[in-house]
């Protein structure tokens, strides 16, 4: 079942014209049919979905990466990870997929297998899609991290935004 923000409602997918595959990230998990049995504590239950889902015995929302065959509309591969993704996707001609996570990891996946190839922790949530560009014949990938409200423990904070750039 799609997570509250659906999959991929706000987060840009990427299209591989050679494979005729669209890659999308988002979240899935409990969003409907739940019952709140106790009042939410605004200091702890920042979204409330985790609490609601746990109360009816369902798993909280988790993240997923889908590979969809655009000719058939069928999911041909899927990878799951602990947190819903709010970053979006970027694909390259080198068969790499890039995305960021809410726990601050910038991750590269193999487009054929959806296996994680590399990850780097930026230490702050990534909710912007990555971009790629070239300067002087060298390709780079960049992503904005931070600048969004996040929850650590019971403390709500607003970190400064950074732009992280990696050479390919």
């Amino acid at each position: 079942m799609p997570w509250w923000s659906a999959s991929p409602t706000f987060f840009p997918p990427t299209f591989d014209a050679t494979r005729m595959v669209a890659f999308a990230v988002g979240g899935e998990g409990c969003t409907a049919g739940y019952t709140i049995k106790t009042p939410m504590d605004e200091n702890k239950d920042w979204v409330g979905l985790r609490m609601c889902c746990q109360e009816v015995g369902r798993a909280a929302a988790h993240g997923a990466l889908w590979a969809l065959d655009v000719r058939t509309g069928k999911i041909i591969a899927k990878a799951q990870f602990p947190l819903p993704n709010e970053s979006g996707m970027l694909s390259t001609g080198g068969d790499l997929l890039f995305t960021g996570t809410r726990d601050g990891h910038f991750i590269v996946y193999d487009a054929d297998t959806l296996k994680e190839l590399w990850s780097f922790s930026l230490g702050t949530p990534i909710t912007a899609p990555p971009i790629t560009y070239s300067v002087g014949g060298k390709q780079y990938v960049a992503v904005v991290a931070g600048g969004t409200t996040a929850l650590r423990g019971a403390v709500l904070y607003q970190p400064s935004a950074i732009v992280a750039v990696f050479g390919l």
Side-chain angles (χ1 to χ4, degrees):
M1 165 185 324
W3 187 51
W4 68 271
S5 56
S7 330
T9 304
F10 308 117
F11 323 118
T14 189
F15 177 64
D16 183 323
T18 302
R19 288 179 174 81
M20 295 300 290
V21 172
F23 298 94
V25 290
E28 59 185 6
C30 176
T31 60
Y34 54 81
T35 303
I36 299 174
K37 295 182 180 178
T38 58
M40 283 189 253
D41 180 349
E42 292 182 79
N43 295 317
K44 304 192 296 194
D45 304 316
W46 58 282
V47 173
L49 289 179
R50 289 189 177 133
M51 181 189 75
C52 298
C53 294
Q54 290 169 354
E55 286 183 4
V56 296
R58 294 185 182 169
H62 60 272
L65 162 59
W66 299 271
L68 301 112
D69 184 320
V70 298
R71 295 164 292 203
T72 65
K74 296 198 185 287
I75 297 172
I76 56 175
K78 180 180 170 183
Q80 285 186 229
F81 31 87
L83 296 173
N85 185 296
E86 297 178 353
S87 172
M89 294 295 303
L90 169 73
S91 57
T92 68
D95 300 328
L96 301 175
L97 304 170
F98 294 84
T99 192
T101 65
R102 287 184 7 199
D103 65 357
H105 287 89
F106 191 57
I107 303 173
V108 181
Y109 292 92
D110 178 273
D112 288 321
T113 64
L114 300 187
K115 299 287 183 198
E116 185 177 313
L117 300 175
W118 179 83
S119 173
F120 186 84
S121 177
L122 295 173
T124 189
I126 302 171
T127 57
I131 64 163
T132 188
Y133 61 94
S134 179
V135 175
K138 180 156 176 72
Q139 187 176 6
Y140 298 88
V141 63
V143 68
V144 174
T148 60
T149 303
L151 186 70
R152 291 239 171 110
V155 178
L156 195 60
Y157 73 104
Q158 179 118 8
S160 298
I162 62 169
V163 176
V165 179
F166 301 91
L168 297 181

